[in-house]
Structures are given as structure tokens and as C-alpha cells.
Amino acid sequence: MATLYRTLSRRRCFHALTSLTRTYYSSPLHQYNKYISNLIRSGRLREARALFDSMKHRNAVTWNSMISGYVHRREIVKARQLFDEMPQRDIVSWNLIVSGYFSCRGSRFIEEGRKLFELMPQRDSVSWNTVISGYAKNGRMDQAMKLFNAMPERNVVSSNAVITGFLLNGNVDLAVGFFKTMPEHDSASLSALISGLVRNGELDMAAGILHEFGGDDKDNLVHAYNTLIAGYGQRGHVEEARRLFDEIPDDRGGGEKDQRRFRRNVVSWNSMMMSYVKVGDIVSARELFDRMVERDTCSWNTLISGYVQISNMDEASKLFREMPSPDVLSWNSIVSGFAQNGNLNLAKYFFEKMPHKNLISWNTMIAGYEKNEDYKGAARLFSQMRLEGEKPDKHTLSSVISVCTGLVDLYLGKQIHQLVTKIVLPDSPINNSLITMYSRCGAIVDACTVFNERKLYKDVITWNAMIGGYASHGLAAEALELFKLMKRLKIHPTYITFISVLNACAHAGLVEEGRIQFKSMVTDYGIEPRVEHFASLVDILGRQGQLKEAMDLINTMPFKPDKAVWGALLSACRVHNNVELAIVAADALIRLEPESSAPYVLLYNMYANLRQWEDAERVRVLMEEKNVKKQAGYSWVD
DNA sequence: GTAGGGTTAG
């Protein structure tokens, strides 16, 4: 007891301890076992182990609970150690250790699990099912089927594992065929088939199956319905979802509480609500929420996320305050809501008040800083995250790469690159942002390296990033060469590709090439030109001194010219000393951005160059009158 | 204490 006290008191395990002392003398072993399993269930594995180690008498259940704790955490080495130390293993211990090996990724583990399965002194249906589903989940359907056929007594659970396995590997037809030949289905068979079909995008087929076989077992049928409602909802097919929802008898009003009856449950309502939230129909979502008899945390969270989505933070935080027991998801939604709607202070306030943070909480807050262009804040939070021992994942790193881009911080960028290589393959889309980061930081060679490391799969964004990098470095020949290569490989360019291509032409003074590309974009690729493309074209013409053509283009383009368009023209006017057009462009720019000093400064310099001192002075006075402050280093063309 | 199925946050 004394050792137990010492080990536990250090681990702030006060509640477990007091109840334990209370029952210590009067309780048999199973009370201890219950404590261990409770600790494991609430994720307190180390405390469970301390208790386990301090126990004088243990039975198989004690050992098995501890092993199951490690198996759940995927700590297979520790589980195996206990398994080996265990004086008398029973069938549950064997099943646990086998399932532990099969739930670890990697063929080495699977082989070891199989070896243990072969060594088992006896097997029950759980042993067989563990190995079958283990193979199925790891894409080894050949082995799964072999064992399934070798099983002495098949049951529904093993068949269900086979269905899941086929569907995990995308074998929709095999799964449906297998389901139809099964001697009996239970509710889980139908649910497994429906959810697998949904995952494979076969929603209408799933609906057909549901209506054909749903009658066979009304027991727990609602699970399958819920899966399909959610499946339709997630794809924005709200009418189909609603039709299914309406097919389930209402759960309100009736007094009888027969769990087995086919009725809506809280998940049905939540899934239907989610479908409305997905399409932005907050009114219908709210209506359902108000009509529900039983709400769980997920119901509140779904509605909160709906209000967050439409940027109604007043209502979202009102619900958050009202809800009975907010969990980490609720907090994350609120933090995300404020961060995405530009209220970083409130986001930070809630982030710091959170009782528990998980990886997503950190990612949400870092992404919030990044979105609001507070790059320093994001970088600070990222280092705090690492200090607190939270491991970044690809979402974290993706935000932080953008942060490096924003800060133009090559030093931090290279560090992040190191981390990225540890967690993703060179073919991951996250490397696209590394290309952009490197080229924005002036390290075009590093950008090129990342680009070339993607050997197996480059998507359009990869190509766009690299072409854009070349273009912004003035390497027009390289940009155009890469663009040619991209087309040869039948990668379909996007409007972003053409912005870079046209920019490259502008830098290199390739007027004719620019015109050709612009035309090709519309006629060969059917891409609607955007205002950015016109800005590039104006830039191209302007740099060549074709100012009148540039002005004509501005007058005839189907958009209201933006600051990039006028900025390009104004720069060109300065280079070619065209004061009249410069005045037009500067005037337009000032109207678009009254607080910007750049047009004034440019005009002033032009007049000064032409030694028209009076006009120059007029511009300076005007600028003072409008109370525009001069800022250094500002340019529109980039 | 072990095998198969459902909803919410980056």
C-alpha cells in the first residue's frame, strides 16, 4: 500500500487513490482490475501501469487489461513484453496480442501476428476474426479469404470483416456479391456494406441495397440509414438525405422505449443537420436542432460549426455558452470561427482558455494567424507548440510554410523543409508550397530541387508553382520551356499557369509570344481570361512602349480595371515618359486606393525628371492636402 | 479483457 501511495500520489491520481483506499481492504482482485480498466479507458496508461506494477496478486484479467491498454496505443513492444512475462496466458491474451500486431502498420508486424496465430494453443471465433479482419484492413484479401474459407465455424462477424475488406480495397462488386451470398445478415453487415459503398462514392447503389435488404433486420437498421444520410449530406445532396431521414419513423412523442425498434436516434438528427450545414442552409439546420428531443455534444457542435461557416459568430458563441458540456471540438470550432473571421484577439482568448488542446487546436490557431497575415504570431505559436511537446503534422507544416513565405524567412523555411521530409513523401502536395516558399525567398535552386524530387506525381499546382517561380525571377526562357514540357505531358494548364506564363513574357519583353499565349488560353484551353491576365497583357504592351495599345486594351476589357492594371500602365508610362497617360493611370489608382502614396510619388518623380518643377510641386501639395503618408518600397506590379 | 457498423473541429 505504501508503494502504491508513493507511485500514485506523484501522478496526481487523487480521485482514483481515495476511492481505492476506501475499498482496499474490503475488495477482491476484480475491484483492482476495474480501476485499471477505468484508467486505461480514460487514457491514463501510465497510472494504470503504476497500479499494475504495485499489485501483489494479479489474475489473467489484470494482465489482459494492461496488454489491451498497450495494444490500443499501438505500443506493441510493451504489450509483447507483458505477454511474454505473463505466467498463465489464456485465449484472450493470445487474441489481444495477435490483434495488436495486426493493427500495426507494416508487413513485419503482420507476419509476427500470423506467427503467433499459428502458435496459439487453441483458437476461438474471435481469434479467426481478428486475423481475417487484420488481413482485410491491410489490403491482403487473398490471405483474408484463405483463412475465411479455412475457418471451422464461420459467423456473421467474419463475413462482415470480409465485406469491409473488399470495400477498403475498392472492390465494390465483390463486396455486394459476397453480401448477397451470405446465409445471414445482421445489422452490422448492412452497415458495413452501406458505409463502404458510401466511401467508394456509390451512394445510389447503397440506397438500392438499403431498400432491398433493410427490411430483413429492423434491428439497428437506423445505423445504416444514418451512414447513408451522412454520405449524401457530405456530398451536398441534401434532398436525398432528407428523403431517407423522412423514411425513419419519428422518435418523438411515443412513450415506449424499445431500443430495437426502427426509429430516429440522435445520430440521425445530427447527420441530417450536418447535411443542411454543409450546403449552408442554417435555417433548416436550426429548425431540426430546435425540434430534437435529445441533443448530445455533437448536435451542438454541428450547429455551432454551421453558424461559424456563415460567419455568424454572435450566434455561434451564444450556443457555445449555452451548451451543457463543450468538448475540444466545440472549443476548436469557436477558435476557428473567430480566427477565420478576422478576430484574432478573440480567437487567441478562447485558445488560451481551453481546458484541453489537441493537435487540431494548435493547427487552427496557427492557420488563423497565417490567414490574418500575422506571420510573426504564427511563428511564435509554432515554437510554443513545439516547446509544449506537441508534434506537428502535415496541416501544421502546411500553414508554417505559408508563414515562411509571408515572412520571406529562408532560414525558418529550410528548417520546416527538414520536418516535412520526415513526415511526408516527396510526392505529397505539401511540397508544392515549399516550391512557392523557396522561390519567394529567392532560392530558386532549392525550389527547383523540390520540384525535381517529385518524380512520380506532379499535379498542376506543382507545375504552376515552378513556372510562377521562374517567372517572378525573370527567368522567362525557363518558365516557357517548363510550360512547353507541361503541355507535352498533357497536364492541363489552369488560369494560374497563364498568369505566370504571361508574366514571364512581360519580363522578357516578348510581346508577340504574350499575345499568342493569351489567345491560346482562350481558344485552346477554354479558360476565361481574368483581370490578372489583362494586367499582364497591359504590362507586356507597356514595357514595349505600346502605351496606346495598352490603353485601348484597358478601355475594351470586360472588367473594371484594378490596381494591378493601372499600376502596370503607370510603370510603363514612367519608363517611356508619357505624362498624359500617367496622369490618367495615377488618377485611377488614387481613386482605387486613396491612402496609397505610390502614384503621387511616381508622378512627382516624372515631373521632376522632365524638370517641370511647378507640376511636381502641385503633386506634392496635393499629396499633403490629402494627408497621404509616403511609404518606402511599395510596388503594384508584383 | 479480444473480432464487424454511425455524426462534429484544422
Side-chain angles (χ1 to χ4, degrees), chain A residues 349-385:
Chain A
Y349 171 80
F350 282 100
F351 178 77
E352 276 161 7
K353 266 185 74 168
M354 287 180 75
H356 294 292
K357 294 184 184 78
N358 62 11
L359 179 58
I360 296 182
S361 322
W362 290 96
N363 289 350
T364 307
M365 197 61 225
I366 291 174
Y369 276 117
E370 192 266 319
K371 194 193 165 173
N372 291 285
E373 295 175 5
D374 184 347
Y375 302 122
K376 289 203 169 137
R380 226 179 295 123
L381 197 64
F382 177 65
S383 55
Q384 192 193 332
M385 170 183 180

Side-chain angles (χ1 to χ4, degrees), chain A residues 1-24 31-32 35-36 38-40 44-55 66:
Chain A
M1 194 59 199
T3 31
L4 174 65
Y5 191 87
R6 272 206 304 278
T7 39
L8 285 180
S9 62
R10 255 182 276 127
R11 302 186 196 288
R12 303 191 323 240
C13 188
F14 183 71
H15 291 294
L17 187 65
T18 43
S19 357
L20 192 65
T21 11
R22 218 185 303 128
T23 47
Y24 177 61
Q31 287 289 350
Y32 264 97
Y35 279 114
I36 288 196
N38 277 338
L39 286 172
I40 288 172
R44 295 149 74 172
L45 201 59
R46 294 171 67 111
E47 295 159 43
R49 181 59 189 259
L51 182 51
F52 176 88
D53 285 339
S54 71
M55 284 169 70
M66 205 57 237

Side-chain angles (χ1 to χ4, degrees), chain A residues 534 538 549-559 561 565-566 569:
Chain A
F534 280 101
V538 168
E549 287 85 343
M551 193 62 228
D552 288 345
L553 185 65
I554 293 176
N555 286 331
T556 52
M557 64 190 249
F559 299 99
V565 174
W566 289 118
L569 184 69

Side-chain angles (χ1 to χ4, degrees), chain A residues 562-583:
Chain A
D562 69 353
K563 59 175 184 169
V565 174
W566 289 118
L569 184 69
L570 184 54
S571 301
C573 290
R574 199 199 59 160
V575 174
H576 296 98
N577 282 321
N578 186 328
V579 188
E580 294 95 280
L581 273 184
I583 293 171

